[in-house]
Amino acid sequence: MQARRLAKRSSLGSRRGNAALQPPGPAPAREGALPGLPPPAPAPAPAPAPESWRPPLPPPRSAGTGPPRAAGAAAAAAAASSPVLLLLGEEDEDEEGGSRRRRGLGRVQAKPRGGAEEEDDDEEDEDEEVVVEVVDGDDDDEDGEERFVALGPGRQLPKGPGRGALKVGSIKREMAFTFQPEDLKRDSSKKLSHQHLFPLAMEEDVKTADTKKVNRVLDHEKENTRSICLLEQKRKVVSSNIDVPPARKSSEELDMDKVTAAMVLTSLSTSPLVRSPPVRQNEGLSGSWKEGGGVPSSTSSSGYWSWSAPSDQSNPSTPSPPLSADSFKPFRSPAPPDDGIDEAEASNLLFDEPIPRKRKNSMKVMFKCLWKNCGKVLSTAVGIQKHIRTIHLGRVGESDYSDGEEDFYYTEIKLNTDSVADGLSSLAPVSPSQSLASPPTFPIPDSSRTETPCAKTETKLMTPLSRSAPTTLYLVHTDHAYQATPPVNIPGSAKFTPNGSSFSISWQSPPVTFTGIPVSPTHSHPVGTGEQRQHTHTVLSSPPRGTVSLRKPRGEGKKCRKVYGMENRDMWCTACRWKKACQRFID
DNA sequence: ATTGCCGGGCT
DNA sequence: AGCCCGGCAAT
């Protein structure tokens, strides 16, 4: 039989009908009688089909994303050798992502959490890193530099965002460089952990830069110098070289510089690149700040959020909340920011999508006013800033403009919002003024959907869906109804529970029942108002496609393949033969 | 790597 | 509709 089939296949299946011609019912039986016959030597297995081409894997991401610190040396080395690498890598990834998505299209918008999301994450991660580095002046500096370099001379910037990146890059770069001298200094003395990354960056710099820079490096270390350097360097024409500011300023000046730097950063914060750890509890206004790192934090965060929002739109399908506060992974800022960069003004308010993106861990960030006697908590950075500005700083007129000062007067609070409802409810009251945007952004939680007025954003991923999905599945399967299986399964015995797992039991017969009756009490009939019911309905109908198709849980039981083996493929149930869910041995 | 089976193409 | 298979995901 098999041989026949094989032959048939090899001959392009022109005669495909043959095997099928045998009456389906008897066939198995007959064959069952045949087993005695030595199975015809299976024809030489057809050469395995050549593997379908796959998009090349993106270049090792390690350089860009991975744990920056750990990856450190290797990654940095790679980067150093060819700064462009990173950039290219990014692009490649993008492309790949695109293709992946494209490929995925056919497949029910495959699970949103799939590659696309990951990729997004990655990307953003990278960006985040960059940001972080700016703030901290840490390891990531090189990153920024690399990017800059690559962008500048090497290639033409394809589009707006690129340009923006460039811009930012340069700035960043300056900052980064400023740090370097210090790093060198520290290198000898401190040996900070993050330092090992630097050498690379420095190396590169050294290549281009004069040795005198090194000398300068030896100067006493002032963290504040950074800011100064930044300012000074801006003047310098040299793009590739890093010059250390020759002059040092008095401590007082340094403070000033700090402030200045802070302001600069703040203003720059619009750029997605600037980032800082999300949750930073700096009660001590002065104490906790470190080298200006803290300064932009709040502002940047707001900026960040706002940026992230657009990204969401781009990938509506992926809920992916990248930021995990726990891991303290640097934030991802969507590289794409085509829109934003140009308007680097303090237009935070514009986007101010206050709403921190929903995080995986269901953490929500709130902003608390630290002003004495004012414990006001708002959900958005912008909101809190505004609040501080107007209420405490008394800057009524310039409400729009933020010089960053407000940042000192509020802190971020992480809230654990396990239940969406909580988050929403708390949200609403707290920041009535700006919260409007927030609700839509938190679609994830189940409860939210009912509460949120705005239906469009609602994801259909909610539990209901999952439950409903099985139902749908049922239908689908019913449709298929592979007739072949002679042995009918115990329809009656199988009891149908709403749960996906058990539903599988009864494919064949009863599904119909189900279709009519929504399985889960939650969604099902009785409860909903007309509207709600409708909603449910929609969910039911659409989900199969949009949602992660609930794949039928894999049956543990024996399957035709197992039972009969490949040799007796003919004995398989049709479904099995067709690579469909086995109907004979249903689990 | 194997296996179950979905999604989709071809006839 | 029947048949088949690529490819994904679970194992």
Side-chain angles (χ1 to χ4, degrees):
Chain A
M1 282 291 184
Q2 200 171 18
R4 206 199 307 165
R5 181 170 298 124
L6 287 175
K8 186 179 49 178
R9 256 183 229 155
S10 61
S11 66
L12 285 180
S14 56
R15 321 229 336 149
R16 193 201 272 160
N18 270 353
L21 283 182
Q22 314 290 350
R30 186 172 53 82
E31 284 174 342
L34 289 183
L37 271 177
E51 284 238 352
S52 59
W53 177 87
R54 286 197 158 215
L57 288 181
R61 206 78 219 297
S62 58
T65 47
R69 337 229 149 191
S81 60
S82 66
V84 185
L85 264 188
L86 259 191
L87 205 110
L88 290 180
E90 242 174 59
E91 278 205 349
D92 279 357
E93 196 168 17
D94 279 352
E95 264 178 79
E96 198 216 334
S99 66
R100 231 191 281 163
R101 250 172 243 146
R102 257 174 269 132
R103 285 178 59 211
L105 275 184
R107 216 179 177 71
V108 184
Q109 291 198 355
K111 335 210 157 187
R113 54 179 185 259
E117 189 187 354
E118 268 182 32
E119 172 200 326
D120 280 352
D121 280 356
D122 285 357
E123 236 173 57
E124 293 190 23
D125 278 352
E126 204 166 70
D127 280 322
E128 291 176 53
E129 286 182 42
V130 177
V131 173
V132 172
E133 62 184 275
V134 173
V135 174
D136 298 338
D138 273 0
D139 34 323
D140 297 280
D141 285 10
E142 53 178 281
D143 227 7
E145 173 192 323
E146 276 178 31
R147 170 172 295 184
F148 174 76
V149 174
L151 283 177
R155 34 207 325 293
Q156 289 251 359
L157 295 179
K159 45 183 174 178
R163 217 177 290 141
L166 176 60
K167 196 164 143 196
V168 175
S170 64
I171 297 171
K172 264 176 47 179
R173 172 158 208 277
E174 289 174 1
M175 297 188 57
F177 286 107
T178 11
F179 294 117
Q180 288 182 0
E182 187 179 342
D183 286 314
L184 284 178
K185 292 178 279 176
R186 287 185 187 173
D187 224 351
S188 55
S189 59
K190 283 189 184 177
K191 288 280 181 187
L192 294 181
S193 62
H194 66 271
Q195 294 256 342
H196 61 289
L197 285 182
F198 261 83
L200 296 168
M202 297 198 311
E203 267 188 29
E204 196 173 8
D205 293 347
V206 175
K207 291 177 192 169
T208 53
D210 314 1
T211 50
K212 58 183 175 181
K213 164 189 147 193
V214 178
N215 295 335
R216 291 175 189 168
V217 171
L218 297 178
D219 292 23
H220 66 284
E221 53 177 309
K222 297 177 183 179
E223 46 182 26
N224 297 325
T225 355
R226 299 176 181 179
S227 52
I228 300 173
C229 295
L230 187 137
L231 293 177
E232 288 190 1
Q233 285 190 348
K234 278 184 178 176
R235 290 185 219 141
K236 301 201 175 186
V237 184
V238 190
S239 60
S240 58
N241 295 337
I242 314 124
D243 276 3
V244 178
R248 307 281 160 180
K249 299 196 179 180
S250 67
S251 58
E252 300 168 358
E253 278 178 329
L254 290 180
D255 285 342
M256 287 294 293
D257 288 331
K258 242 184 184 175
V259 176
T260 318
M263 296 183 66
V264 172
L265 288 176
T266 309
S267 63
L268 291 177
S269 67
T270 327
S271 76
L273 297 177
V274 182
R275 184 119 327 261
S276 67
V279 180
R280 184 176 286 198
Q281 303 266 14
N282 25 358
E283 336 297 19
L285 296 181
S286 55
S288 57
W289 303 104
K290 275 198 179 166
E291 351 188 39
V295 176
S297 72
S298 56
T299 310
S300 63
S301 69
S302 68
Y304 164 66
W305 294 122
S306 53
W307 290 83
S308 63
S311 76
D312 270 351
Q313 292 176 349
S314 59
N315 314 330
S317 61
T318 63
S320 71
L323 347 164
S324 58
D326 42 343
S327 63
F328 178 61
K329 214 170 156 183
F331 290 165
R332 39 121 143 245
S333 59
D338 4 19
D339 48 331
I341 299 185
D342 284 333
E343 20 184 15
E345 295 74 16
S347 58
N348 295 344
L349 287 181
L350 290 185
F351 333 39
D352 102 348
E353 287 291 317
I355 337 73
R357 225 196 211 161
K358 168 74 182 173
R359 309 187 180 199
K360 279 175 186 171
N361 56 7
S362 73
M363 289 303 251
K364 179 171 176 34
V365 177
M366 302 290 280
F367 300 88
K368 182 178 183 180
C369 176
L370 295 176
W371 202 273
K372 58 196 171 195
N373 296 336
C374 174
K376 183 153 190 173
V377 178
L378 293 181
S379 60
T380 73
V382 178
I384 196 72
Q385 286 178 8
K386 197 171 179 180
H387 159 82
I388 293 170
R389 243 177 326 205
T390 55
I391 307 290
H392 301 307
L393 298 181
R395 302 182 187 177
V396 180
E398 44 196 311
S399 58
D400 274 0
Y401 176 72
S402 145
D403 60 358
E405 190 174 349
E406 313 86 74
D407 296 338
F408 294 88
Y409 299 105
Y410 70 89
T411 184
E412 294 178 37
I413 305 174
K414 235 201 275 181
L415 294 183
N416 191 350
T417 60
D418 281 342
S419 68
V420 184
D422 280 359
L424 288 179
S425 60
S426 65
L427 244 185
V430 178
S431 62
S433 55
Q434 334 220 356
S435 60
L436 66 179
S438 56
T441 31
F442 292 72
I444 302 180
D446 304 348
S447 53
S448 69
R449 64 188 272 228
T450 41
E451 298 185 5
T452 344
C454 175
K456 67 168 186 180
T457 355
E458 298 176 1
T459 347
K460 334 218 151 158
L461 305 182
M462 356 232 121
T463 28
L465 177 83
S466 60
R467 287 184 189 167
S468 60
T471 315
T472 329
L473 262 186
Y474 249 113
L475 291 179
V476 175
H477 284 287
T478 312
D479 287 352
H480 282 287
Y482 301 116
Q483 77 296 22
T485 49
V488 183
N489 317 314
I490 20 63
S493 65
K495 51 174 148 184
F496 309 95
T497 38
N499 298 337
S501 59
S502 51
F503 81 84
S504 60
I505 299 182
S506 64
W507 292 132
Q508 301 202 339
S509 40
V512 183
T513 350
F514 278 177
T515 57
I517 306 166
V519 182
S520 71
T522 325
H523 322 290
S524 50
H525 33 213
V527 181
T529 64
E531 193 174 350
Q532 209 170 6
R533 222 191 298 154
Q534 255 197 340
H535 186 73
T536 312
H537 187 66
T538 18
V539 173
L540 285 179
S541 59
S542 62
R545 181 162 296 171
T547 34
V548 181
S549 60
L550 289 190
R551 209 181 174 105
K552 178 187 168 192
R554 187 179 198 158
E556 283 83 12
K558 296 183 178 180
K559 300 294 178 192
C560 292
R561 178 196 286 249
K562 262 187 199 156
V563 173
Y564 302 109
M566 286 300 286
E567 304 82 17
N568 300 319
R569 196 179 174 200
D570 289 343
M571 298 175 68
W572 297 5
C573 69
T574 10
C576 279
R577 259 180 283 160
W578 297 347
K579 281 175 135 188
K580 299 290 184 187
C582 176
Q583 293 194 328
R584 188 168 297 171
F585 307 98
I586 300 175
D587 297 314

